[in-house]
């Protein structure tokens, strides 16, 4: 076997090892969920219920309002990103899970803008890509909601944290560190705080999408009530660790253990 063949063999072997490690991490995460108290498993159960409803909404299961299905496509994108985010959480890739959750948060804000101001939907669809980004980029959507004293689901501070931890490279950010030790971890190791934060943020964003979906798709009253109830239950079931406070809580814990 020549050098090139050895390198190819080693590369394939490494990817196989990663695949096995991911499966093991998923199994260990599921075991962790069973002993993680009451709120975490409940949030996961509620998240599953919420995603099931959004999946059906994206596919026009109950009702098709026709047209270009712009709202359904956005909801479908939420479903795909949420399922992927959850799988990354199960594999203990918490930063990467949050990266996808950030995208869901952007859609949540946009859907809330359409919820409060239905006329904005047609404006959004009519613009070319450059103007659409200019007028409906994440910061512009937040500003429109703030200007009209409307709810901003993912506000500037939370969005900034999601960007900093999950997406944008910064000199001080350590990958995958949710232990308080500052040691970088490259996935596949269960970290309780990382698990809590990932599910809290994912569930919060998904819940916010769910509560506005019935009006945007003009769904019947019984389905609308079910979606709103499950969305609110999901948001209310979340634990205390979130992206805004986990670092501070880890620092406090470290000081306590000294």
């Amino acid at each position: 076997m020549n050098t090139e063949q050895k390198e190819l063999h080693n590369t394939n072997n490494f990817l196989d090892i990663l695949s096995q490690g991911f499966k093991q991490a998923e199994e260990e995460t599921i075991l962790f969920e069973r002993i993680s108290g009451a709120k975490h498993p409940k949030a996961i159960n509620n998240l599953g219920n919420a995603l099931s409803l959004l999946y059906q909404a994206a596919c026009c299961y109950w009702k098709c309002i026709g047209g270009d299905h712009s709202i359904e496509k956005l909801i479908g994108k939420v479903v795909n990103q949420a399922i992927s985010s959850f799988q990354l959480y199960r594999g203990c890739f918490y930063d990467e899970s949050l990266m996808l959750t950030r995208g869901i948060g952007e859609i949540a804000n946009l859907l809330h803008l359409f919820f409060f101001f239905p006329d904005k939907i047609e404006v959004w669809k009519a613009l070319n890509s450059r103007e659409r980004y200019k007028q409906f980029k994440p910061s512009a959507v937040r500003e429109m909601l703030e200007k009209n004293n409307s709810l901003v689901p993912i506000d500037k501070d939370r969005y900034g944290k999601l960007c900093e931890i999950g997406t944008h490279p910064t000199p001080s950010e350590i990958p995958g560190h949710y232990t308080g030790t500052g040691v970088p971890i490259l996935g596949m190791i269960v970290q309780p705080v990382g698990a809590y934060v990932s599910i809290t943020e994912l569930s919060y964003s998904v819940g916010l999408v769910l509560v506005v979906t019935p009006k945007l798709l003009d769904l019947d009253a019984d389905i609308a009530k079910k979606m709103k109830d499950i969305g609110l239950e999901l948001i209310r079931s979340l634990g205390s660790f979130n992206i805004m406070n986990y670092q501070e809580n880890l620092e406090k814990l470290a000081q306590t253990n000294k």
Side-chain angles (χ1 to χ4, degrees):
M1 184 181 291
N2 59 35
T3 303
E4 184 178 347
Q5 288 173 321
K6 286 181 179 178
E7 289 177 355
L8 179 61
H9 174 75
N10 290 337
T11 300
N12 289 337
N13 187 49
F14 179 65
L15 294 177
D16 289 340
I17 291 170
L18 286 179
S19 181
Q20 294 167 14
F22 191 97
K23 291 177 182 177
Q24 182 175 341
E26 186 174 31
E27 291 171 0
E28 291 179 359
T29 297
I30 293 170
L31 289 174
F32 163 74
E33 290 167 2
R34 295 173 183 168
I35 60 169
S36 59
K39 284 192 172 183
H40 191 62
K42 184 178 180 181
I44 291 171
N45 182 66
N46 289 336
L47 175 62
N49 292 335
L51 286 176
S52 174
L53 291 171
L54 288 176
Y55 192 107
Q56 294 172 83
C59 298
C60 299
Y61 177 77
W62 300 290
K63 179 180 184 180
C64 181
I65 59 176
D68 58 11
H69 290 79
S70 294
I71 299 300
E72 291 91 340
K73 290 172 187 175
L74 288 173
I75 294 169
K77 194 173 184 68
V78 166
V79 172
N80 283 348
Q81 290 184 340
I83 292 171
S84 300
S85 177
F86 183 76
Q87 287 302 109
L88 286 167
Y89 146 79
R90 278 267 171 95
C92 308
F93 289 93
Y94 305 118
D95 291 350
E96 292 68 32
S97 173
L98 291 167
M99 178 176 65
L100 289 174
T101 295
R102 185 194 77 150
I104 299 170
E106 289 183 6
I107 297 174
N109 281 359
L110 185 63
L111 290 176
H112 274 253
L113 181 69
F114 295 161
F115 177 86
F116 290 115
F117 308 101
D119 59 300
K120 297 290 185 182
I121 298 174
E122 294 305 320
V123 176
W124 178 73
K125 291 193 292 186
L127 295 172
N128 61 42
S129 57
R130 182 170 182 173
E131 281 301 311
R132 186 181 302 112
Y133 175 74
K134 182 179 178 181
Q135 296 186 36
F136 289 91
K137 61 186 177 182
S139 59
V141 171
R142 290 196 306 270
E143 288 170 6
M144 281 189 276
L145 289 168
E146 290 168 354
K147 184 178 179 180
N148 291 279
N149 296 316
S150 303
L151 170 69
V152 183
I154 308 298
D155 62 23
K156 181 179 179 181
D157 291 338
R158 181 171 242 104
Y159 185 78
K161 273 290 185 184
L162 287 167
C163 289
E164 181 180 300
I165 293 169
T167 307
H168 297 162
T170 63
S172 60
E173 195 59 40
I174 301 169
H177 81 295
Y178 295 88
T179 61
T181 62
V183 176
I185 296 177
L186 305 184
M188 296 181 284
I189 296 175
V190 175
Q191 300 178 72
V193 172
Y196 297 145
V197 173
S198 295
I199 290 300
T200 295
E201 295 301 323
L202 176 58
S203 298
Y204 179 59
S205 291
V206 168
L208 289 166
V209 171
L210 190 60
V211 295
V212 296
T213 292
K215 179 181 177 182
L216 292 171
L217 295 182
D218 191 28
L219 296 176
D220 293 342
D222 56 338
I223 298 298
K225 184 179 186 306
K226 182 177 181 180
M227 295 180 83
K228 289 177 183 177
D229 288 348
I230 289 178
L232 290 173
E233 183 180 357
L234 174 59
I235 293 170
R236 290 167 182 158
S237 70
L238 302 181
S240 58
F241 276 97
N242 58 58
I243 203 165
M244 302 301 297
N245 66 20
Y246 84 92
Q247 289 175 320
E248 180 183 347
N249 288 340
L250 281 173
E251 289 171 5
K252 289 179 179 177
L253 185 62
Q255 291 296 324
T256 302
N257 293 334
K258 280 186 177 180

